[in-house]
Amino acid sequence: MLKQVGDGVWVRQSGWVWSNSTVVRGEHGLVLVDPGISGAELSGLAGDVERLGVPVVAGFATHPHFDHLLWHSRFGDVPRYATAACAQVATESREQAQAMAAETADGIPLDLVALVSPLLADGGPVPGKVIEHDAHAVGHAAVLLADLGVLLAGDMLSDVLIPMLDPRRTGQLDAYEAALDRLEEAARQVNVVVPGHGTIAEGAEVAARFAADRAYLEALRRRKQPADVRLEQDWMAGPHQTNLKALPD
Ligand SMILES: [Zn+2]
């Protein structure tokens, strides 16, 4: 079930919203980024990871939404990191994340939801460069694995999900575009981009993902209906309406 996408990077996709769990081989061992989401899938991922024969040394959560804050005892009792801002929000809203996990998928170990601490100053066991920005969620971070040829994008650059603005904060159009600028610069150093949800982008598809997210945001800015294939999915109407409500008057 693990698909190798780089030199020491593997992805397993969930049946729920094409969520991507990523396994990264760092200097000290494996780091699991956003593992999810059902209990059976987490357990399956644990089996995949055991077959790699390298110990799990840490976890990393890209942002404080419940589906990115999950864990399973079979991964081991190791530290799980996030940006300081993400860790704070995740800790404060832990009960809400547990409730959402419980109602969304079976078998998620609820006692292990949202147990994350601020990333160490030198990154600790988390390899690559963490790129923190203000789009989509507080403390959201991408992970640039330049040596391994992969950018882990968190909840951006998806072929199934439109950009989702953080409804709790103002200035999200600017923040989202600024984040895309930084991620696009990072993506120039790699061949593969792994979104939090959806198909892995390789080669020319990477540029197409940036173009699609930018075109969607530009349409929002102009108060025009976006010409975006992702909106052809009925269930994207809700997130699109939420974005429209988040726009300044
Ligand atoms: Zn999210």
Side-chain angles (χ1 to χ4, degrees):
M1 291 294 278
L2 277 185
K3 176 182 159 75
Q4 183 158 11
V5 301
D7 180 17
V9 188
W10 299 265
V11 174
R12 181 184 165 115
Q13 195 167 69
S14 163
W16 184 80
V17 197
W18 303 275
S19 288
N20 290 318
S21 305
T22 305
V23 180
V24 183
R25 188 168 56 214
E27 200 183 330
H28 308 285
L30 301 177
V31 177
L32 306 187
V33 181
D34 293 349
I37 82 154
S38 72
E41 289 171 331
L42 290 167
S43 188
L45 176 61
D48 293 342
V49 165
E50 282 159 17
R51 280 186 285 280
L52 291 176
V54 180
V56 175
V57 292
F60 184 75
T62 58
H63 65 288
H65 289 160
F66 87 93
D67 51 319
H68 300 261
L69 295 171
L70 310 179
W71 199 252
H72 194 283
S73 59
R74 283 182 67 191
F75 301 147
D77 183 14
V78 298
R80 294 155 58 192
Y81 297 106
T83 65
C86 172
Q88 185 181 345
V89 171
T91 302
E92 287 168 1
S93 56
R94 182 161 181 250
E95 284 180 18
Q96 192 188 341
Q98 287 173 313
M100 290 178 81
E103 71 188 39
T104 304
D106 290 333
I108 295 175
L110 298 180
D111 53 328
L112 297 176
V113 170
L115 299 178
V116 290
S117 346
L119 194 65
L120 305 172
D122 65 354
V126 178
K129 184 183 172 200
V130 170
I131 302 170
E132 185 175 358
H133 57 76
D134 291 314
H136 178 66
V138 171
H140 196 183
V143 183
L144 172 61
L145 302 163
D147 294 347
L148 310 179
V150 180
L151 174 69
L152 309 181
D155 272 5
M156 297 170 74
L157 304 171
S158 171
D159 60 335
V160 290
L161 303 184
I162 54 171
M164 294 186 194
L165 309 180
D166 186 342
R168 291 166 199 80
R169 286 187 295 172
T170 57
Q172 275 289 291
L173 277 179
D174 290 343
Y176 213 109
E177 285 170 350
L180 285 176
D181 289 345
R182 294 182 60 206
L183 265 52
E184 194 155 28
E185 195 183 320
R188 284 195 203 104
Q189 301 174 52
V190 302
N191 295 317
V192 176
V193 171
V194 180
H197 304 267
T199 313
I200 294 157
E202 291 182 62
E205 173 67 9
V206 172
R209 296 287 174 89
F210 281 98
D213 276 7
R214 288 189 192 282
Y216 176 86
L217 296 169
E218 185 59 22
L220 282 192
R221 208 179 265 288
R222 293 170 180 275
R223 306 296 196 273
K224 294 258 180 5
Q225 175 63 24
D228 192 311
V229 292
R230 296 171 292 191
L231 289 173
E232 290 168 13
Q233 310 166 99
D234 290 340
W235 63 288
M236 273 296 105
H240 181 55
Q241 289 304 317
T242 302
N243 284 341
L244 293 178
K245 284 191 204 114
L247 296 179
D249 294 331

